[in-house]
Amino acid sequence: PDTDPADLENADLPILIVEGEKKCLALHRLSLESGEGVLPIAIAGVWSFRGVVGKDNDAKGARCNVKGIIPDFDRIQWDGRSVGIVFDSNVHTNESVSAARNALTRELKRRKAKVYYVNLPASVGLNGVDDFLASDSHGPEYVLGLLRSERSRRSIRSRLSKNERGERPDLFVCKTMNEWLKGAGSRPKPKPLFGPFWTSGEIALLFGDT
């Protein structure tokens, strides 16, 4: 509500993408009340950035749907823009949600956006960003701190990519040990692939005699 259409073209205004309209409204209120200038955007579900974009004929001549990125995305200036994806905390445990975030990231980077993730913790019994904003144990200040810290990390990685890493952006992700431990604790237990040697999600090299 009351969003200036010019904000869609303003690449200096950061974007936050959430799954669900209520979460968008909650971030919109946070932006107004805190003075934190962001443009929150909702997709109806994690895969809803894709949909039916036209009609065509299949190999047998029958009419069929053509699927792709919804045309709403073409209304937004993405090039050079800072875009945070704030999916629900189940992104850590739900493979479909995680895959959707990765696919959305690839599309946004194809449009030359500067993408980063705002990871809501999965271990506190809350799911969406609206839950965190309404929670007595977290609230607006917690969410603002999370948004600012993730944006700061994104800015640091961007500077490193320009000044120290040449053409290798995001080679390192820097976090405190507590942050790594907290993130690892929220992930599902790895599946064993070969005895105790290999588990899912790892890259391993096995050497032996010929």
Side-chain angles (χ1 to χ4, degrees):
D2 301 324
T3 296
D4 187 348
D7 289 347
L8 301 179
E9 294 291 334
N10 182 8
D12 293 328
L13 182 64
I15 284 176
L16 294 175
I17 297 179
V18 294
E19 45 171 308
E21 295 86 341
K22 291 181 181 179
K23 292 152 192 171
C24 180
L25 290 172
L27 282 179
H28 180 68
R29 177 184 176 184
L30 179 69
S31 176
L32 290 177
E33 294 184 351
S34 68
E36 190 84 6
V38 295
L39 176 61
I41 293 178
I43 51 179
V46 292
W47 288 104
S48 294
F49 62 94
R50 303 193 310 192
V52 177
V53 295
K55 294 282 187 179
D56 201 353
N57 297 326
D58 63 17
K60 297 182 179 179
R63 297 290 284 172
C64 62
N65 292 330
V66 176
K67 294 186 177 182
I69 304 301
I70 58 176
D72 292 30
F73 270 57
D74 297 331
R75 301 177 61 192
I76 300 169
Q77 175 62 38
W78 300 102
D79 192 351
R81 194 169 203 156
S82 177
V83 181
I85 301 178
V86 195
F87 278 2
D88 292 354
S89 61
N90 66 348
V91 71
H92 305 295
T93 55
N94 188 309
E95 291 184 1
S96 179
V97 177
S98 178
R101 186 171 71 169
N102 290 337
L104 177 58
T105 299
R106 289 193 296 271
E107 176 60 28
L108 292 173
K109 286 187 174 182
R110 187 185 70 80
R111 295 170 184 254
K112 300 181 180 180
K114 302 173 182 178
V115 186
Y116 64 96
Y117 296 157
V118 179
N119 289 306
L120 301 173
S123 57
V124 295
L126 303 171
N127 194 37
V129 67
D130 53 338
D131 298 332
F132 283 84
L133 286 168
S135 168
D136 292 334
S137 60
H138 290 78
E141 288 303 319
Y142 173 84
V143 174
L144 282 172
L146 195 62
L147 297 176
R148 289 165 180 162
S149 64
E150 293 298 337
R151 192 181 305 162
S152 175
R153 288 192 189 97
R154 175 66 184 83
S155 175
I156 291 171
R157 289 197 296 269
S158 177
R159 290 199 300 272
L160 287 174
S161 68
K162 293 178 181 177
N163 300 333
E164 299 177 18
R165 285 187 259 155
E167 300 300 319
R168 294 293 300 278
D170 296 324
L171 183 61
F172 296 108
V173 178
C174 301
K175 299 182 182 180
T176 66
M177 179 59 71
N178 284 338
E179 287 175 316
W180 282 116
L181 291 173
K182 189 173 183 179
S186 65
R187 295 180 180 177
K189 186 177 180 179
K191 298 177 182 178
L193 301 179
F194 179 65
F197 302 106
W198 286 343
T199 58
S200 61
E202 293 184 336
I203 298 176
L205 300 176
L206 181 64
F207 294 89
D209 293 336
T210 56

